[in-house]
Amino acid sequence: MPRKHAEYRYIMPGLVLAACVAFAGFALAQSAEPVSPKLTPKLQDLLRKEMLSVNEASQEILAAMVTGDDERVATLAQQIHDSFILRQSMTPEDKADLMAAVPEDFVRMDRNFHEISAALAEAANAKNRPPQRERFGQMIDACVACHSKYASDRFPAFSE
Ligand code: HEC
């Protein structure tokens, strides 16, 4: 019996340490370097404008979904997919600057986000409502995933 207690004394701190290491690894994986400070001033400006448009469109999509306006959902989701500003205002040089500044994983997250928008537009065009809500949920998850990892300077609450 006393021997068993002695073992616990070692196991518990070991478990706590393991949990801390695991948590630190998770926290690091969650918030990488913010991307905005690495961008050229023009790209910073374009990204911010793009985000404001995406923000507005996503709120309007919610309003359209809860009123059954499939057509409006499709139009807005397609606009998000096509990138309001960013892609359309970038010169080939801006594109090269962007690719040089951001990690591959940021590009992957952005691509995933745009694919979800296309899938949402598709569900709305087909007037399939439950899949619209599922895609919209995935879209919000994609906003949060990217912000918590790459915009911790702009949204410090994610790193608390
Ligand atoms: C692939 C990454 C990524 C995705 C996906 C993303 N964002 Fe962002 N967003 C950013 C980054 C990076 C910033 C910080 C820009 C800065 O600090 O200049 C930002 C900033 C913003 C801002 C603040 C703009 C300002 O005034 O400075 C808003 C609002 C925003 N995002 C909304 C959204 C919404 C809503 C979604 C999803 C529907 C979304 N974002 C998806 C990367 C992303």
Side-chain angles (χ1 to χ4, degrees), residues 89-134:
S89 328
M90 277 199 298
T91 63
E93 204 193 331
D94 293 328
K95 265 179 212 164
D97 287 346
L98 181 67
M99 288 307 166
V102 300
E104 177 58 33
D105 178 61
F106 178 84
V107 177
R108 185 192 57 75
M109 278 190 165
D110 183 57
R111 195 176 305 134
N112 177 49
F113 173 64
H114 286 91
E115 278 165 12
I116 294 168
S117 317
L120 174 57
E122 206 175 297
N125 276 321
K127 302 192 176 299
N128 279 340
R129 289 175 182 149
Q132 286 177 42
R133 292 194 291 277
E134 194 185 327

Side-chain angles (χ1 to χ4, degrees), residues 35-36 44 47-48 51-52 54-55 58 80 106 109-110 113 139-140 142-143 146-147 150-151 153-155:
V35 296
S36 185
Q44 280 179 350
L47 174 63
R48 216 163 279 155
M51 283 296 142
L52 292 177
V54 163
N55 195 46
S58 57
I80 293 183
F106 178 84
M109 278 190 165
D110 183 57
F113 173 64
M139 183 182 268
I140 304 307
C143 316
C146 189
H147 290 170
Y150 293 111
D153 53 342
R154 180 68 178 77
F155 305 119

Side-chain angles (χ1 to χ4, degrees), residues 18-74:
C20 288
V21 169
F23 182 77
F26 174 78
L28 277 174
Q30 282 300 295
S31 85
E33 290 265 292
V35 296
S36 185
K38 297 183 190 159
L39 302 177
T40 60
K42 181 185 172 187
L43 284 171
Q44 280 179 350
D45 185 51
L46 287 177
L47 174 63
R48 216 163 279 155
K49 285 191 177 131
E50 172 89 6
M51 283 296 142
L52 292 177
S53 307
V54 163
N55 195 46
E56 217 169 283
S58 57
Q59 290 175 23
E60 239 193 279
I61 287 174
L62 176 62
M65 275 193 338
V66 300
T67 53
D69 192 345
D70 299 314
E71 225 171 281
R72 188 78 190 128
V73 174

